Amino acid sequence: MKAFAAVDVIRAKRDGGALSDEQIRWVVDAYTRGDVAEEQMAALAMAVFLRGMDARETATWTGAMIDSGTRLSLEVDRPTVDKHSTGGVGDKITLPLAPLVATCGAAVPQLSGRGLGHTGGTLDKLESIPGWRASLSVDEITAQLNSVGAVICAATSGLAPADRKLYALRDVTGTVESVPLIASSIMSKKIAEGSAGLVLDVKAGSGAFMKSVEEASELARTLVEIGTAHGVATTALLTDMNTPLGSAVGNAVEVAEAVEVLQGGGPADVVELTVALAREMLALAGISVDPVSVLASGEAYETWCRMITAQGGDPAAPLPQPAHVTEFTAPATGYLSVLDAYAVGVAAWRLGAGRARKEDAVQHAAGIRCLAKPGDQVTEGQPLLELHTDTPEAVPAALEALATAVQITATAPAPKNLILHRVS
Ligand code: URA
């Protein structure tokens, strides 16, 4: 590979130029190997943050990060398709979605992460199931995809190591919030997973990474462009994240809600989004099966049980229960017009459902149950939220986070769409 001087690459981007494919491949590779210093990559990340990258540069940057590790080649006898959400509050959709889409005939390799901050992590949720194991080898992933059709597990360490290193640097240099850097980070890991199709759930709203619909749309477009440039059939749904999804926010409570959906019940918004994403995934996989009838038949729940059992978990075991439950009541009578996703996410996190540092443990029983949702009529003093924790000393800080979470109005709020639009 042709070598460059890091300072020339930094200057080119600092001055607003486009980097060549050779420059990008060299700088990502040299940084991963330690030949470009942290301070040089920090300067380049800031230059990219301020000047941006065009579609070609972003696709090449993504490819260079994929090439820093191994791209899985899954030997599976059915079409592979995956889903990625940019993260939200109460977003347990992966849990019912993976077994549902597998029951319809696709293979779903869902390599997931842990939560940091106010959004939960899929692995933290599943680890509330006694015995369930997140770490699988590539051979185990492939075997489970062939036998069950769905795997939800931790990403293997060889996937896009450049992203791991760069993300840690961006985190401490104020360069996380850049669309080309976010999009290449997400897509390098997802493309390296080796699935042929990918559906993105890009969240917009207070509980999301992207607060405005405009920013989320730009991210969705960039993600789809990168997928397409790398030969992965990619579509995205832009979805609302101003209100928590469903009624449960936390770990075990979210697993319980996912099981309700798989058994044909569950909150209407969780069912709506699960079915919409399943339809997108099945379309990419070329499968024409109706996910609604599969959900109603109970077959997807059977796949869930097999998926959990294959990873050492006991799907019939009781889920952890909190030592303390505190009610948060309605401050007035009227219509609940706002239940703010960010505030509820922070409160659940402070109750112990999330972690402040990577190495912290989460409380499996901690979280929040939303007993009313926007549009519901409520009476002063009626319980609106149930706060679950094993550490009651955390409750005052959680209540503080909830101080501005709720608005009650005399008239009913206008109904809002959950699915805002589709990008393909
Ligand atoms: N998630 C990622 O994987 N990467 C980012 O840069 C932001 C969110």
Side-chain angles (χ1 to χ4, degrees):
M1 191 184 299
K2 182 178 168 197
F4 294 85
V7 71
D8 290 342
V9 179
I10 298 166
R11 280 197 191 109
K13 185 46 75 182
R14 180 199 66 189
D15 295 343
L19 301 180
S20 69
D21 290 345
E22 286 90 352
Q23 283 176 316
I24 293 172
R25 288 194 195 105
W26 173 78
V27 81
V28 171
D29 176 63
Y31 172 62
T32 311
R33 285 186 289 102
D35 289 352
V36 164
E38 293 288 341
E39 60 271 22
Q40 291 177 309
M41 197 55 163
L44 181 58
M46 186 56 84
V48 169
F49 179 94
L50 295 171
R51 295 295 197 165
M53 285 199 289
D54 65 22
R56 175 198 52 82
E57 290 174 286
T58 309
T60 304
W61 189 285
T62 309
M65 296 217 289
I66 296 169
D67 292 343
S68 71
T70 41
R71 185 168 171 163
L72 296 186
S73 85
L74 299 166
E75 291 185 8
V76 182
D77 54 11
R78 29 180 161 167
T80 49
V81 63
D82 187 13
K83 184 256 341 184
H84 176 78
S85 158
T86 57
V89 176
D91 184 2
K92 73 282 296 171
I93 301 293
T94 293
L95 308 188
L97 183 65
L100 172 61
V101 173
T103 311
C104 295
V108 187
Q110 182 77 59
L111 273 54
S112 301
R114 296 180 188 283
L116 188 63
H118 74 280
T119 61
T122 299
L123 302 180
D124 296 325
K125 295 171 197 182
L126 283 168
E127 278 176 347
S128 59
I129 301 172
W132 187 83
R133 183 165 63 93
S135 292
L136 300 184
S137 67
V138 175
D139 285 349
E140 286 174 317
I141 293 171
T142 311
Q144 190 171 321
L145 282 175
N146 281 308
S147 61
V148 180
V151 178
I152 305 175
C153 66
T156 53
S157 60
L159 286 188
D163 175 61
R164 238 189 334 278
K165 193 168 173 195
L166 181 57
Y167 190 88
L169 180 69
R170 287 167 55 212
D171 205 20
V172 294
T173 54
T175 52
V176 168
E177 301 89 347
S178 146
V179 167
L181 292 179
I182 294 171
S184 55
S185 165
I186 292 173
M187 293 302 281
S188 62
K189 289 171 284 202
K190 283 286 145 184
I191 296 171
E193 255 179 56
S195 132
L198 177 62
V199 176
L200 298 150
D201 178 3
V202 181
K203 307 268 184 214
S206 79
F209 211 48
M210 295 290 166
K211 307 293 177 204
S212 75
V213 173
E214 291 69 31
E215 288 171 311
S217 302
E218 192 195 341
L219 178 60
R221 268 195 314 276
T222 309
L223 292 165
V224 170
E225 273 170 12
I226 297 175
T228 309
H230 283 273
V232 176
T234 310
T235 58
L237 293 183
L238 210 77
T239 67
D240 181 76
M241 186 27 75
N242 286 299
T243 293
L245 206 44
S247 304
V249 178
N251 297 310
V253 277
E254 292 202 33
V255 172
E257 188 166 280
V259 168
E260 280 172 34
V261 171
L262 285 160
Q263 291 177 331
D269 56 349
V270 180
V271 175
E272 179 187 350
L273 190 50
T274 303
V275 166
L277 290 166
R279 289 206 168 109
E280 292 290 334
M281 292 168 77
L282 292 168
L284 291 184
I287 295 172
S288 51
V289 171
D290 176 20
V292 175
S293 55
V294 172
L295 211 45
S297 73
E299 284 171 86
Y301 176 64
E302 285 169 28
T303 306
W304 159 265
C305 292
R306 290 196 291 127
M307 178 181 85
I308 297 299
T309 308
Q311 289 174 241
D314 177 358
L319 291 166
Q321 296 299 315
H324 293 270
V325 177
T326 306
E327 283 177 350
F328 175 93
T329 57
T333 294
Y335 288 90
L336 181 62
S337 54
V338 172
L339 177 61
D340 182 62
Y342 179 70
V344 173
V346 171
W349 171 47
R350 290 187 181 171
L351 289 167
R355 49 170 75 74
R357 292 170 310 153
K358 278 209 296 294
E359 46 289 348
D360 292 348
V362 300
Q363 290 178 31
H364 291 130
I368 292 182
R369 282 193 60 78
C370 306
L371 307 174
K373 292 291 294 270
D376 290 351
Q377 269 186 299
V378 298
T379 308
E380 185 178 345
Q382 164 190 336
L384 291 185
L385 304 172
E386 240 179 45
L387 279 52
H388 296 190
T389 187
D390 294 333
T391 45
E393 60 278 15
V395 171
L399 290 172
E400 196 185 309
L402 292 170
T404 54
V406 163
Q407 279 176 32
I408 293 173
T409 48
T411 51
K416 282 193 179 162
N417 289 336
L418 173 60
I419 299 171
L420 304 173
H421 65 252
R422 178 174 185 276
V423 180
S424 63

